[in-house]
């Protein structure tokens, strides 16, 4: 009998412990995910019966999302509907809130604040919670600059393919100033058009800036250059390019089949010479250091603390010579490459990227306010300064002279990423002013062709607009290229045709 009682007692205790464990799990560990799940019936009812908080641009005035009261047909309490005044312009950032299809973007990332599910931060909120009254959500202000965001959207829409993305960031703070994906969608009618949008071949639901993965092409040479500088390669180190670099089973060539003869490492970056970068990666840097440097820049990271879903960039296990110039198995996105540019701009220190500027209660009390956070040191300041100067050289006398803006020194790098049989992707990364950077930008135009022809003009206009400067038009092409030094082709390919006088001077000497 005693044994039977003991067994019953032990079963009772085990069941009680299991019950406590389940309660602890749902109340502590799974509380936030459960509250943020749009399929939660209680959450759905609360979203309809209580107004969600505003989502605002960084000026605190431009409304990106708000709740509108709708009278109840049955005469009961009113319901609320989510409205997006800016339509497709911010869809990639704000996302949508749907009782049918869930939620994305800031709507789900900041749902605890927007829905009023967060712990009460003011006396009124505490009283409402105790009394069971309606709890309006907190207002979330983003770091997005509304003028820059609109300009980026319009420029992408006007590009030759109309497909691509832009990310702009403040290098010193990590604030995201613009994040645009095009084509986009209108979140106001997501319930009516969701299935149609899912099947649209242009993939408007895909956030190209954060979730798209593309070969970065020559903009990745900034990462390779950083690794080379760390390995001891000097900007003045001399290499000879005959137009090819042989690897077992593969021959690296330059864009357009060009050869450049005797060039320095700095000139190889300025002229975007694939063969020299392949040689440097294989013979000077090595796979281990290149991969470690890429990881330091953020490759392999999904940035879990960032409110939007980020697809991790990766190098893969391909041919090192091709990886050196962003081809073969390398895949990245515009968000990642913007952080690469921002890190070089900020003396080698990566700041934690963030999208939320502050959170306020409905009566205006500040609940949260973001402050700049240092992510990690990727490069020491001296190495970063050298790389910065090399990127300035790309704009001053290299493949990106069209990015020059009167009155400000710009640092940048073009990229033309080959994706046969389709047209190449057009890339450009940049920051300015080079000596005191305020903005770093990455631009991708899918299948846009040469980097200088589509992505670069967009970046130049964004930088000029943000710095409140007139945007300089691209220099006139001069394909004649008289008096070029021996080893350089008389007809430079694509993005390099306007270089000779700037790079070598009128007398043909560097």
């Amino acid at each position: 009998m005693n044994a039977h009682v003991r067994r019953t007692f032990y079963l009772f205790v085990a069941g009680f412990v299991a019950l406590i464990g389940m309660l602890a799990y749902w109340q502590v560990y799974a509380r936030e995910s459960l509250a943020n799940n749009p399929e939660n019936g209680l959450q759905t009812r609360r979203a309809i019966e209580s107004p969600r908080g505003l989502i605002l641009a960084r000026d605190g005035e431009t409304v990106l999302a708000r709740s509108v009261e709708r009278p109840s047909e049955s005469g009961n309490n009113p319901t609320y509907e989510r409205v997006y005044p800016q339509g497709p312009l911010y869809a990639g950032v704000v996302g949508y809130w749907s009782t049918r299809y869930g939620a994305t973007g800031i709507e789900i990332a900041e749902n605890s604040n927007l829905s009023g599910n967060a712990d009460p931060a003011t006396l009124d909120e505490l009283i409402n919670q105790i009394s069971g009254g309606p709890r309006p959500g907190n207002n979330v202000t983003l770091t997005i600059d509304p003028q820059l965001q609109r300009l980026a959207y319009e420029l992408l829409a006007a590009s030759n393919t109309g497909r691509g993305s832009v990310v702009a960031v403040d290098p010193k703070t990590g604030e995201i100033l613009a994040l645009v994906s095009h084509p986009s969608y209108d979140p106001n009618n997501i319930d009516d058009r969701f299935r149609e949008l899912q099947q649209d071949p242009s993939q408007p639901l895909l956030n190209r800036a954060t979730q798209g993965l593309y070969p970065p092409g020559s903009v990745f040479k900034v990462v390779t250059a950083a690794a080379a500088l760390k390995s001891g390669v000097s900007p003045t180190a001399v290499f000879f390019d005959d137009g090819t670099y042989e690897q077992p089973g593969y021959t690296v060539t330059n864009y357009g089949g060009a050869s450049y003869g005797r060039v320095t490492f700095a000139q190889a970056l300025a002229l975007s010479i694939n063969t020299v970068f392949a040689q440097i990666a294989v013979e000077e840097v090595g796979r281990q250091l290149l991969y470690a440097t890429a990881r330091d820049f953020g490759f392999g990271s999904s940035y879990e603390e960032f409110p939007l879903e980020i697809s991790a960039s990766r190098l893969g296990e391909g041919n090192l010579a091709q990886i050196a110039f962003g081809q073969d198995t390398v895949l990245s996105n515009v968000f990642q490459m913007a952080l690469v540019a921002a890190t070089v701009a900020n003396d080698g220190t990566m700041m934690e990227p963030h999208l939320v500027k502050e959170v306020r209660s409905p009566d205006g009390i500040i609940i949260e306010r973001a402050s700049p956070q240092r992510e990690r040191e990727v490069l020491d300041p001296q190495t970063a300064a050298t790389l910065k100067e090399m990127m300035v050289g790309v704009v001053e006398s290299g493949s990106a002279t069209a990015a020059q803006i009167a009155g400000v020194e710009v640092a940048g790098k073009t990229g033309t990423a080959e994706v046969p049989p389709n047209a190449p992707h057009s890339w450009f990364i940049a920051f300015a002013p080079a000596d005191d950077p305020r903005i770093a930008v990455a631009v991708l135009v899918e299948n846009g062709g040469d980097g200088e022809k589509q992505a670069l003009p967009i970046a130049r206009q964004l930088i000029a607009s943000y710095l409140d400067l007139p945007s300089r038009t691209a220099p006139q092409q001069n394909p004649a290229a008289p008096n070029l030094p021996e080893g350089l082709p008389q007809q430079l390919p694509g993005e390099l045709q306007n270089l000779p006088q700037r790079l070598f001077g009128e007398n043909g000497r560097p």
Side-chain angles (χ1 to χ4, degrees):
M1 182 67 181
N2 289 339
H4 179 70
V5 170
R6 280 198 301 271
R7 283 195 299 270
T8 303
F9 174 75
Y10 291 149
L11 286 173
F12 175 79
V13 170
F16 183 76
V17 170
L19 178 62
I20 295 298
M22 289 297 293
L23 287 173
Y25 172 79
W26 288 112
Q27 290 293 322
V28 179
Y29 295 103
R31 175 178 178 272
E32 185 172 352
S33 62
L34 183 64
N36 286 343
N37 189 342
E39 295 181 3
N40 180 337
L42 176 62
Q43 171 73 323
T44 300
R45 190 172 73 251
R46 181 179 290 148
I48 295 173
E49 295 178 352
S50 299
R52 289 171 66 78
L54 298 172
I55 302 178
L56 305 165
R58 73 179 292 122
D59 59 6
E61 298 178 357
T62 304
V63 178
L64 312 183
R66 59 188 172 90
S67 292
V68 176
E69 183 177 326
R70 304 295 186 198
S72 173
E73 295 180 0
S74 61
N76 296 324
N77 293 331
T79 59
Y80 293 87
E81 180 182 349
R82 205 61 168 156
V83 173
Y84 302 93
Q86 308 298 322
L89 179 56
Y90 289 84
V93 176
V94 172
Y96 57 80
W97 181 271
S98 167
T99 55
R100 293 176 61 187
Y101 299 111
T104 60
I106 291 295
E107 286 280 31
I108 189 63
E110 288 294 319
N111 182 55
S112 293
N113 280 310
L114 292 167
S115 65
N117 284 332
D119 294 333
T122 67
L123 180 59
D124 286 344
E125 290 182 4
L126 180 60
I127 292 172
N128 278 338
Q129 185 183 59
I130 295 172
S131 65
R135 297 178 59 190
N138 298 321
N139 299 327
V140 175
T141 301
L142 305 183
T143 59
I144 298 292
D145 182 294
Q147 292 182 332
L148 196 68
Q149 180 82 359
R150 181 169 293 278
L151 179 60
Y153 186 89
E154 292 173 350
L155 291 172
L156 275 177
S159 66
N160 61 346
T161 66
R163 303 191 315 274
S165 56
V166 168
V167 173
V169 58
D170 184 329
K172 297 179 181 178
T173 66
E175 289 184 322
I176 304 299
L177 303 173
L179 195 153
V180 174
S181 175
H182 196 277
S184 185
Y185 64 93
D186 188 348
N188 287 298
N189 53 26
I190 192 71
D191 283 348
D192 296 331
R193 296 195 58 214
F194 186 78
R195 297 301 182 193
E196 177 188 343
L197 292 169
Q198 275 188 317
Q199 298 169 8
D200 190 328
S202 68
Q203 297 181 286
L205 292 175
L206 173 69
N207 190 333
R208 288 166 158 82
T210 58
Q211 295 173 291
L213 288 172
Y214 310 85
S218 289
V219 293
F220 185 77
K221 287 174 182 171
V222 172
V223 177
T224 306
L229 291 171
K230 289 165 65 174
S231 73
V233 179
S234 166
T236 59
V238 176
F239 300 87
F240 186 83
D241 167 50
D242 63 3
T244 61
Y245 182 72
E246 298 291 341
Q247 283 281 282
Y250 184 80
T251 300
V252 176
T253 59
N254 294 317
Y255 185 71
S259 61
Y260 297 88
R262 183 178 179 273
V263 293
T264 66
F265 177 35
Q267 288 174 328
L269 183 67
L271 291 165
S272 202
I273 303 175
N274 293 343
T275 54
V276 172
F277 270 81
Q279 179 184 351
I280 288 173
V282 173
E283 300 179 14
E284 304 287 345
V285 176
R287 190 179 294 269
Q288 183 174 350
L289 178 56
L290 180 58
Y291 279 52
T293 303
R295 284 194 298 272
D296 288 343
F297 271 111
F299 276 68
S301 173
S302 57
Y303 297 90
E304 293 182 1
E305 297 301 315
F306 194 72
L308 305 184
E309 181 181 345
I310 306 293
S311 295
S313 299
R314 57 182 182 266
L315 267 60
E317 296 298 328
N319 187 307
L320 183 60
Q322 293 175 274
I323 288 172
F325 52 92
Q327 293 284 173
D328 200 15
T329 54
V330 187
L331 292 173
S332 190
N333 53 51
V334 175
F335 178 84
Q336 175 61 64
M337 294 313 300
L339 294 184
V340 169
T343 300
V344 177
N346 195 39
D347 300 325
T349 296
M350 176 180 286
M351 302 302 290
E352 182 179 300
H354 60 279
L355 196 50
V356 176
K357 182 181 179 184
E358 65 181 24
V359 177
R360 291 178 181 260
S361 66
D363 52 2
I365 297 174
I366 295 176
I367 298 172
E368 301 173 19
R369 176 169 282 173
S371 59
Q373 299 294 323
R374 188 174 181 269
E375 183 85 7
R376 60 184 168 271
E377 183 180 279
V378 178
L379 304 171
D380 64 76
Q382 183 176 352
T383 301
T386 302
L387 183 53
K388 185 185 298 186
E389 193 60 34
M390 291 172 67
M391 292 178 68
V392 169
V394 176
V395 176
E396 290 291 322
S397 57
S399 61
T401 55
Q404 294 177 11
I405 300 172
V408 64
E409 192 173 53
V410 179
K413 183 69 191 81
T414 53
T416 305
E418 297 182 3
V419 283
N422 300 315
H425 296 319
S426 177
W427 279 91
F428 191 63
I429 62 174
F431 56 86
D435 59 345
D436 187 20
R438 292 170 51 198
I439 181 173
V441 179
V443 179
L444 165 74
V445 178
E446 288 183 15
N447 308 119
D450 291 351
E452 71 155 26
K453 293 180 179 177
Q454 291 296 320
L456 184 153
I458 293 174
R460 184 189 64 234
Q461 291 184 63
L462 292 173
I463 292 171
S465 173
Y466 188 73
L467 300 179
D468 198 22
L469 295 167
S471 178
R472 169 197 164 148
T473 56
Q476 294 296 311
Q477 301 271 327
N478 181 12
N483 303 320
L484 289 181
E486 183 178 356
L488 275 173
Q490 295 300 306
Q491 177 74 25
L492 293 181
E495 62 189 67
L496 306 179
Q497 290 184 3
N498 61 330
L499 302 187
Q501 279 71 32
R502 291 187 174 277
L503 182 60
F504 297 105
E506 294 296 335
N507 60 4
R509 293 193 296 272

